[in-house]
């Protein structure tokens, strides 16, 4: 059959310059995030994460920068890469004028999705970072931070997704500094149809309590009750795996899935999947080929080493709680496709990563057809859209 239209579970939005100045309550706007154009002479990677250093110079290359409290966030071509040739997708500052409009304008995004054989798309943030770390780290004024999170979510639901006919799927943030406030924000957005929330793959890397501490239970309870899937993008802990401070950034990029692997082990041993039977997790941009080995390994430890490791309070092997409840996401993993039955044919989703450097836009259909060669039609449907529709409770393909 013809390749079904794709539901992408990992794309990104570059927030439009008006977002917080339009959506924040008036009393916060003067202190809220705003865009300023500055000259940038150079950008350097100075550590895993990745962490960047910027050389500001009025005579440097123009850059549109988010300014918030003491933070200056430089827009980079690597996060607005679509439309550039591969050799031009460099660590270079960029302005909105130079970006493809689909990066920040919802109408233009839908047009770019049409070109790319994509029906629906879930988008992670850029300036707030993958789970809203910016508002946790950049201000000690928690009232302002919460207002920024709420403003983002209102914009996401009402402006970015509002006129898309369900094709742009809302992904909301929570205030990371307060689990009760996070639970309340999950419920607020679930009441208007949102079924996805961004969260950190490894909260202690952000200086936050672990998922084993009990601190996050109100948040997980809210997600369980509302059917909200917890979406964790690689890098949502602000720390990428590395071997040494001076290792090439290519090392970090090559082993980035390690954080997702550690996080999945964390959840499967935590008992949370037993305590919250409707809790769903999604790992974005981590690929999928590593999952069968992890499931085999943790089941072996549960079976053979319980005498000294304990069983985590799990009445069933850890892999029992993986199937149909934890979703992997890939865009370039031939081994994972070959191992799809070990990964779990009901646990796999697909992405386009628009507008990042890894994005397959505008050739995603051709890429997907190559990856799906030899895969039965019913399995192609699940991987390209069916599993994502079920994961996000989308109003698509219903009888």
């Amino acid at each position: 059959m013809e390749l079904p239209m794709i539901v992408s579970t990992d794309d990104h939005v570059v927030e439009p310059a008006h977002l917080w100045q339009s959506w924040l309550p008036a009393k916060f706007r003067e202190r809220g995030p705003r865009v300023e154009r500055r000259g940038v002479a150079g950008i350097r990677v100075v550590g895993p994460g990745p962490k960047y250093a910027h050389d500001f110079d009025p005579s440097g290359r123009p850059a549109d920068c988010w300014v918030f409290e003491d933070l200056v966030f430089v827009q980079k071509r690597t996060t607005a890469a679509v439309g550039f040739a591969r050799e031009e997708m460099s660590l270079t500052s960029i302005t909105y004028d130079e970006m493809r409009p689909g990066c920040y304008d919802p109408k233009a995004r839908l047009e770019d999705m049409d070109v790319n054989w994509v029906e629906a798309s879930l988008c992670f943030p850029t300036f707030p970072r993958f789970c809203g770390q910016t508002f946790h780290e950049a201000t000690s004024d928690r009232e302002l931070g919460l207002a920024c999170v709420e403003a983002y979510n209102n914009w996401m639901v009402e402006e970015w997704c509002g006129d898309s006919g369900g094709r742009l799927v809302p992904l909301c943030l929570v205030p990371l500094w307060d689990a009760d406030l996070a639970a309340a924000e999950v419920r607020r957005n679930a009441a208007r149809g949102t079924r996805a929330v961004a969260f950190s793959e490894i909260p202690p890397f952000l200086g936050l309590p672990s998922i084993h501490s009990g601190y996050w239970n109100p948040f997980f309870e809210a997600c369980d009750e509302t059917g909200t899937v917890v979406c964790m993008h690689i890098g949502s802990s602000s720390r990428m795996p590395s071997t040494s401070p001076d290792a090439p950034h290519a090392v970090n990029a090559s082993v980035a899935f390690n954080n997702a692997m550690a996080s999945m082990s964390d959840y499967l041993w935590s008992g949370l999947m037993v305590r919250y039977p409707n809790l769903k997790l999604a790992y974005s941009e981590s690929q999928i080929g590593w999952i069968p080995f992890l499931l085999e390994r943790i089941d072996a430890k549960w079976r053979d080493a319980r005498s000294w490791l304990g069983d985590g309070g799990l009445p069933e092997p850890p892999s029992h709680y993986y199937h149909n409840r934890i979703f992997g996401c890939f865009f370039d993993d031939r081994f994972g496709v070959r191992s799809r039955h070990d990964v779990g044919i009901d646990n796999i989703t697909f992405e386009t990563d628009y507008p990042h450097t890894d994005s397959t836009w505008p050739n995603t259909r051709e890429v997907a057809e190559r990856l799906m060669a030899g895969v039965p039609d019913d399995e192609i449907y699940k991987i390209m859209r069916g599993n994502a529709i079920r994961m996000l409770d989308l109003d698509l393909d219903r009888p």
Side-chain angles (χ1 to χ4, degrees), residues 1 32 76 83 112 176 226-227 230 233 235 270 304 315 346 375 383 389:
M1 68 175 181
K76 302 170 184 65
D112 280 356
L176 293 168
T226 60
V230 179
H233 196 285
S270 68
D304 299 334
D346 295 314
V375 177
I383 293 169
I389 290 170

Side-chain angles (χ1 to χ4, degrees), residues 110-128:
L110 292 173
E111 293 170 356
D112 280 356
M113 288 163 59
D114 289 339
V115 169
N116 208 30
W117 201 242
V118 173
E119 180 169 6
S121 167
L122 182 79
C123 292
F124 284 84
T126 298
F127 167 64

Side-chain angles (χ1 to χ4, degrees), residues 274-333:
V274 179
R275 192 174 308 124
Y276 302 111
N278 299 311
L279 183 63
K280 296 182 292 184
L281 312 175
Y283 289 93
S284 294
E285 205 171 321
S286 56
Q287 312 305 329
I288 58 174
W290 52 272
I291 293 176
F293 172 74
L294 175 67
L295 297 178
E296 178 182 305
R297 180 68 174 166
I298 61 176
D299 277 1
K301 294 293 110 181
W302 182 87
R303 183 187 65 238
D304 299 334
R306 278 182 283 178
S307 60
W308 63 281
L309 288 177
D311 62 7
L314 307 179
E316 302 287 345
S319 65
H320 173 81
Y321 306 97
Y322 163 81
H323 295 289
N324 291 305
R325 294 179 60 192
I326 302 182
F327 297 84
C329 176
F330 81 104
F331 61 88
D332 182 21
D333 189 345

Side-chain angles (χ1 to χ4, degrees), residues 48-101:
K51 295 181 174 63
Y52 301 102
H54 307 92
D55 299 319
F56 293 101
D57 185 333
S59 64
R61 196 178 194 284
D64 283 335
C65 308
W66 283 104
V67 179
F68 179 52
E69 303 280 273
D70 295 329
L71 173 67
V72 179
F73 180 96
V74 178
Q75 303 272 27
K76 302 170 184 65
R77 193 179 289 180
T78 50
T79 55
V82 290
F84 291 98
R86 284 287 170 189
E87 60 274 12
E88 297 175 325
M89 295 179 182
S90 57
L91 198 60
T92 304
S93 59
I94 193 172
T95 67
Y96 284 97
D97 299 331
E98 299 170 291
M99 294 179 197
R100 189 172 182 85

Side-chain angles (χ1 to χ4, degrees), residues 142-159:
R142 293 312 189 196
E143 187 183 12
L144 172 62
L146 178 60
C148 287
V149 169
E150 291 174 343
Y152 178 89
N153 291 340
N154 292 340
W155 165 83
M156 166 62 64
V157 173
E158 298 177 37
E159 183 176 324

